[in-house]
Amino acid sequence: GVDSVVVVLAALLLTVCATPIFDGRTLDGFEILGPAAWHVEDGVIIGSAQGLKEHSWLYWPGTVSDFTLTLEFRTDAGNSGVNYRSLPGGEHGMTGYQADLDVDHVYTGALYDLSSGRALMTPRGTRRRYGFQNNRQDMGTCGDPKALVADLEPGTWHTYELRASGPHLVHRIDGRMMSETWDEDPERRHIEGGIAFQVHSGEDCRVAFRNIQLKTVMRQDGVSVPDGFTAEPVLQAQNGEGSWVSMAFEPDGGLLVSPQSGRIRRINLE
């Protein structure tokens, strides 16, 4: 038989959870790791160094998992990057994912992994999925790698948007998708951590960041909920029924769900 359950769905506005990490005046709340010079000038974070032997980091030690990070950047010289879900340590002084950034835009927009041996995961212009034991699957392209950065001149300001939702990682610059990744490797993926800005070792480097905005995504009962939505449990498997194992829509829009053991439920969406 089929049990009928009526559910009324209401549009609920989720309050945006904005997390301030830069006050626009000081580096309060950040940690400087490594020998580069980091300072604030007219509301701009500037990192610079000449011929470092090791990377230097400006690290925000908060904890984020699912989020959207938007900032403006300017590359004057050298190689940099914005790290997320990161923790200090490892071979490069920082773990986690990196949204790459360099003045020649060889790697700008790409996804790099500093700490699991995967290094360059998703080059600019590509979509990739990573499964168990680093099983890589190419998922197509998101644009011509050269055309995507053709207007990014040294010394000019541009907007980087980084979005992380579970295994789904998207990098955009000036609204254009640079790379898209699904990291579903349970042994190598990064779940949570802080934010870090890099001054790369080797060649001279000077990079600037401003208008940094971090919006975290609220989790409700283990469900990742994007900005503008909320999640509310409407039906729960009873004792002895196990977990939900199947779901299907009827032609009239009704939703059929079934636990491992027990009756099929019909959910009427009104």
Side-chain angles (χ1 to χ4, degrees):
V2 177
D3 292 337
S4 181
V5 179
V6 178
V7 179
V8 177
L9 300 181
L12 299 177
L13 180 62
L14 179 67
T15 302
V16 174
C17 185
T19 304
I21 66 174
F22 176 45
D23 62 16
R25 303 182 307 277
T26 71
L27 295 179
D28 290 353
F30 287 95
E31 299 174 8
I32 297 177
L33 308 175
W38 292 94
H39 71 281
V40 178
E41 183 178 313
D42 297 327
V44 177
I45 294 176
I46 298 175
S48 61
Q50 295 180 330
L52 293 181
K53 294 183 179 180
E54 60 185 48
H55 304 321
S56 181
W57 305 93
L58 183 67
Y59 177 61
W60 179 75
T63 300
V64 294
S65 181
D66 291 357
F67 65 90
T68 299
L69 177 65
T70 306
L71 56 86
E72 294 179 47
F73 69 89
R74 189 187 72 215
T75 50
D76 298 328
N79 191 328
S80 180
V82 181
N83 273 49
Y84 55 95
R85 294 183 180 173
S86 295
L87 295 170
E91 178 184 358
H92 300 287
M94 190 65 59
T95 66
Y97 300 116
Q98 181 177 95
D100 230 323
L101 186 60
D102 64 284
V103 71
D104 296 321
H105 303 305
V106 176
Y107 300 107
T108 295
L111 175 68
Y112 198 93
D113 187 346
L114 288 175
S115 52
S116 72
R118 293 181 293 184
L120 181 60
M121 290 182 63
T122 309
R124 181 176 62 249
T126 63
R127 293 180 165 100
R128 283 182 177 174
R129 184 186 302 274
Y130 287 80
F132 181 60
Q133 294 184 341
N134 202 30
N135 182 19
R136 192 184 82 190
Q137 180 181 5
D138 290 328
M139 305 296 291
T141 64
C142 56
D144 178 82
K146 293 183 178 180
L148 286 171
V149 295
D151 61 346
L152 304 190
E153 296 293 334
T156 59
W157 287 101
H158 300 276
T159 301
Y160 223 146
E161 180 189 274
L162 312 177
R163 180 167 295 185
S165 179
H168 190 206
L169 313 171
V170 178
H171 297 172
R172 288 187 172 89
I173 294 179
D174 294 341
R176 300 187 293 266
M177 183 182 289
M178 297 284 135
S179 62
E180 185 174 23
T181 309
W182 292 264
D183 190 1
E184 298 169 349
D185 187 333
E187 297 178 345
R188 295 172 176 82
R189 65 188 177 188
H190 306 286
I191 303 299
E192 62 182 19
I195 305 293
F197 304 97
Q198 182 192 46
V199 165
H200 203 282
S201 61
E203 61 185 339
D204 294 353
C205 180
R206 180 179 171 89
V207 64
F209 303 97
R210 70 183 184 186
N211 296 329
I212 302 169
Q213 299 179 30
L214 175 63
K215 296 180 181 179
T216 57
V217 176
M218 298 177 63
R219 288 182 175 271
Q220 301 181 2
D221 296 328
V223 177
S224 179
V225 184
D227 290 348
F229 292 86
T230 189
E232 180 179 353
V234 295
L235 192 62
Q236 183 174 343
Q238 303 302 308
N239 290 337
E241 291 186 329
S243 59
W244 299 106
V245 295
S246 64
M247 180 177 70
F249 282 98
E250 296 182 297
D252 63 0
L255 176 64
L256 300 178
V257 295
S258 173
Q260 290 172 296
S261 302
R263 299 167 64 84
I264 299 173
R265 271 80 162 181
R266 175 186 290 119
I267 299 177
N268 298 321
L269 306 179
E270 298 183 351

